[in-house]
Amino acid sequence: GSVKMIEMKDNIICVGIGQEVHFITATGRLIKKYTTTMDIKEVLIYDNGNHAALVYRNKIEIINI
């Protein structure tokens, strides 16, 4: 798929590809790949890069990174 959004915070790069998001270190190592059934609109990284809030059209989901 094509990249829909890229965000960076606390040396973690977040790449959103529709219903999938990849969390990557600033050096390029994959931390986590998360797949869902809905399109992700925005990702907010917080708690020193330990958690992320996935923002959908009508809900927000909190995950551990």
Side-chain angles (χ1 to χ4, degrees):
S2 62
V3 174
K4 304 288 184 194
M5 62 105 178
I6 296 176
E7 299 285 336
M8 181 171 181
K9 184 167 184 189
D10 297 326
N11 291 322
I12 296 176
I13 302 166
C14 173
V15 180
I17 307 168
Q19 298 176 347
E20 193 172 281
V21 65
H22 299 252
F23 297 97
I24 304 166
T25 64
T27 59
R29 185 180 61 88
L30 180 67
I31 300 170
K32 184 173 190 164
K33 178 176 141 181
Y34 187 80
T35 305
T36 184
T37 58
M38 299 171 62
D39 284 339
I40 301 167
K41 301 294 181 192
E42 186 178 0
V43 177
L44 304 169
I45 300 169
Y46 65 97
D47 192 23
N48 294 323
N50 293 318
H51 295 91
L54 306 179
V55 180
Y56 303 98
R57 187 175 64 84
N58 60 353
K59 76 174 191 172
I60 297 173
E61 182 178 7
I62 307 296
I63 63 169
N64 292 326
I65 298 179

